[in-house]
Every structure is written in C-alpha cells, then in structure tokens.
Amino acid sequence: MTKLPIRPPRESMPSLAVIGAGISGLICARTLQDYGLSVTVFEKSRGVGGRMSTRRTDEALHFDHGAQYFTARDARFRGYVNAWQHDGVVAAWLGRIMVLQNGVVIDQKEGTDRFVAVPGMNAICQHMATDLQIEYQTKVAPPRRLRGRWLLASEDGTDWGAYDMVIISAPAPQTAQLLRNVPELAGQADRVEMSGCWAVMLALEESLALPFDAAFIHQSPLSWIARNNSKPNRSPEPETWIMHASPEWSETNLERSAEQVEADLLAEFWRSIGTQPQAIKYIKAHRWRFALPTSPLESRCLFDTSLLIGACGDWCGGPRVEGAFLSGAAAASRVLNLLRPTRVDDSSAT
C-alpha cells in the first residue's frame, strides 16, 4: 500500500516552480499543491497541454493534432483514468483500428483499451490545471542559483522571484538548455534523442465512408491516420482526419514549408487508403519539433537532492501519455520524500 506523507505546517512548506504545463508538469504541480506547497507553473504557450493540445480553427473545427489516444497499463495511472471517466473528462475510444499497406488492410488492431479526453485531448490537462497558478506566454530563462534558492526570470527580462525548488517539464533538448547551470543533469537530458513529427489536419466536404476509424500505415511516409470525429463527444460533421508522418520522413523533411508538407502527405493519404482525391474543406500542417523520444532514459525522472532541481517528461522512463504522467508523478514524489522521507512510496522514481 502506498503511504502518504503527513503534511508539515503550511508555513514550513517550500515554494516550487514548474516549467512546462504538459501532462507531466501538471500532475507534478497538482500533486505538490494538493500537499500544501506553494506552486507556480510557467508555460511558454497560450494554454496547457503540450502535445496533448487541441487545435481550434476559425472555421469552428477541432483537431487532436498531437497525442491521439492513450492506454493505461500502470495501476496508479489506471486509477486516475477511472476517476477521470467518472468526472466525464475521459471516455473509451472504441474506434475500428486497422493496419494498412499500399491501400490494403493487412491487419486489425484489437484487444487494447484506448482512451481519449473529451471533448478534446487537452481536457485532462485543463482539468488538472484547475486553481493552479499558471503564468502563460512566459518563456523562462535558465534558473540561476543564489543563496540557496533558484531565481527565475523570463527571456524578456521579467523577474519572477526566488523559489526553493524547480521542476522542468519540457522536451529533453529544451530541458538540457534550461539546466545549463546544473551540468550533471543537463548532460543526462542532452543525451536523449528526440525526433520530430509533421501532423496534418484535414476536413472533408463529404464523408469517405471508410470501414475503419484509424490506421497504422506501413511502408509509407505516413505512420498513422485517424478520423478525429470518430472519438467520443466530437462534432459529427464535417469529417475530420489527422495524419502523422513517420519519424524518419519527418526528420528528413523537418525544414520544409507547411504547404509542401500538406501537398505531399495529402497525396500519400489518398494512396494509403486506396481512394481517389476528394473535395477538401480545410487542411493545415503542424510541426512538432520534439515529438518522440527515440532513446528515453531509464530513470523515471531527474532530481538533484542537494540543489533541489529536477526534470520530468515522456523522455524519462518511457514515452507516451502514460509515461509522461508517471514521470511527473515521480518528480513530485521525489520532492515529497524530502519532506517526509520515511512516509512516501517512491518506488517509481530513480
């Protein structure tokens, strides 16, 4: 049984800055604030979610253009998923998922419980962000150590004050830059390789009436396609699709224009599903510069107990949404162990 820490008096609790408001940073911040710490989250974009973001267009279209779904194999994560289902934030996705090669179905993917957030993939992060203090559109410079605390400032020079502890939740290359004043941890993050991913969002004038809702693609520049509005609580019309290019194709074409990528991957989409081109209502490419860790660390998180700074993300301990969540939870556990080291089960963090 997991033993929970006894909360010290609130006035003795340290202040903590979390840099990054993806699922990893948010579960870390959420956990520590619930235990009484003073937590401030800094996020460089306009909203929470990271690669669990949902794109909303001027045409009132919604796309899950990053994470497509998630599984829940770890018992702790499954417990959260069950609670989110009860709260109406998560639902099972019962989509028909195939494997395609050269326009032909060669296999069907069954037997895996897949979940999505509703009404968009960022709903989980919005749920966890409730009542957290988050400073949006704030790109933080590398924290500086002074008199036993960490000084934070944004790149534009705004002073955000001093914190007792810092947790960085960002892609490994960005984390390495933010940790440049902690060379040992920066070196570990810098060794992690991450590949990019081109995503294309597509809305059609008419339904394709395909016999599947999503597919893994073999021998193609595409690796995945999904009918976005096959997921629960999505608008039924128009028919919307997400395409993800393979890591290899994405890396090779990383610096091409969005318009070139749209044209190439749309042509590949028609070829992959064995269908003649159809009328298009909307198309837009998005580049995820750091999408997939190709060599994640074995450690679930990084943490220096003497300097009181650490890092978490899907590049620690295993990729995907579940891996990111468990990494953030492990970082929170490392902090809590410093407060009550004999009363916290930290078996997931190294």
Side-chain angles (χ1 to χ4, degrees):
M1 177 180 296
T2 299
K3 297 179 179 179
L4 299 178
I6 300 173
R7 295 174 179 80
R10 181 172 293 273
E11 60 270 14
S12 69
M13 299 297 268
S15 60
L16 182 124
V18 174
I19 302 174
I23 191 169
S24 183
L26 287 174
I27 187 57
C28 179
R30 174 82 272 152
T31 301
L32 294 176
Q33 179 166 295
D34 288 348
Y35 274 97
L37 277 75
S38 173
V39 179
T40 303
V41 181
F42 297 90
E43 170 56 44
K44 67 179 181 179
S45 67
R46 293 179 296 175
V48 298
R51 291 192 299 280
M52 291 186 73
S53 297
T54 299
R55 175 69 64 87
R56 293 169 172 81
T57 75
D58 294 339
E59 295 80 4
L61 302 172
H62 294 181
F63 295 93
D64 299 326
H65 61 314
Q68 296 294 287
Y69 65 86
F70 58 90
T71 56
R73 296 178 174 88
D74 181 270
R76 294 159 297 174
F77 184 54
R78 188 59 184 253
Y80 275 87
V81 172
N82 291 341
W84 292 333
Q85 284 185 282
H86 180 270
D87 293 338
V89 178
V90 162
W93 181 30
L94 305 178
R96 300 158 297 171
I97 300 180
M98 308 295 183
V99 179
L100 300 180
Q101 184 172 310
N102 298 321
V104 177
V105 175
I106 62 172
D107 196 6
Q108 183 170 349
K109 293 288 187 179
E110 297 179 318
T112 299
D113 293 333
R114 296 178 175 88
F115 301 93
V116 296
V118 293
M121 284 299 285
N122 65 341
I124 292 173
C125 292
Q126 290 177 339
H127 183 68
M128 288 195 295
T130 302
D131 78 17
L132 288 177
Q133 180 181 343
I134 303 179
E135 302 295 340
Y136 293 105
Q137 295 182 282
T138 302
K139 194 169 184 180
V140 175
R144 295 184 298 112
R145 189 77 169 162
L146 180 66
R147 297 174 184 173
R149 304 189 80 197
W150 289 103
L151 303 182
L152 260 66
S154 55
E155 291 187 349
D156 64 9
T158 303
D159 181 8
W160 290 101
Y163 295 84
D164 296 309
M165 302 184 187
V166 174
I167 298 293
I168 298 169
S169 174
Q174 296 172 349
T175 296
Q177 290 296 319
L178 287 165
L179 285 170
R180 70 186 186 193
N181 294 320
V182 191
E184 183 178 350
L185 296 189
Q188 294 183 61
D190 196 45
R191 288 195 294 271
V192 177
E193 296 180 358
M194 299 193 74
S195 65
C197 177
W198 274 107
V200 174
M201 296 161 275
L202 177 68
L204 302 173
E205 294 287 356
E206 302 290 340
S207 172
L208 295 176
L210 295 175
F212 55 84
D213 299 304
F216 297 96
I217 314 295
H218 288 185
Q219 297 183 3
S220 167
L222 292 171
S223 63
W224 167 265
I225 59 174
R227 185 165 65 85
N228 196 80
N229 58 332
S230 70
K231 298 175 183 178
N233 289 29
R234 271 67 172 177
S235 174
E237 295 182 348
E239 184 166 300
T240 52
W241 286 82
I242 290 291
M243 310 173 223
H244 279 181
S246 70
E248 297 78 15
W249 193 94
S250 294
E251 282 294 310
T252 300
N253 295 274
L254 206 58
E255 302 305 326
R256 295 181 70 196
S257 70
E259 292 75 17
Q260 291 173 319
V261 170
E262 290 163 13
D264 283 0
L265 294 185
L266 179 61
E268 185 61 25
F269 175 73
W270 301 126
R271 191 189 75 83
S272 296
I273 64 175
T275 300
Q276 292 297 314
Q278 305 293 313
I280 294 172
K281 186 180 184 72
Y282 176 90
I283 186 168
K284 185 69 175 178
H286 176 85
R287 185 184 71 171
W288 294 104
R289 179 61 187 87
F290 303 112
L292 300 169
T294 57
S295 56
L297 298 179
E298 293 184 4
S299 301
R300 185 62 78 182
C301 68
L302 301 179
F303 195 77
D304 188 309
T305 55
S306 60
L307 295 177
L308 303 180
I309 190 169
C312 57
D314 64 357
W315 48 274
C316 289
R320 304 184 183 90
V321 171
E322 182 173 25
F325 178 95
L326 293 174
S327 178
S333 193
R334 292 298 296 267
V335 172
L336 293 175
N337 270 344
L338 295 176
L339 306 178
R340 285 288 185 268
T342 62
R343 297 299 303 276
V344 182
D345 178 2
D346 188 32
S347 59
S348 64
T350 57

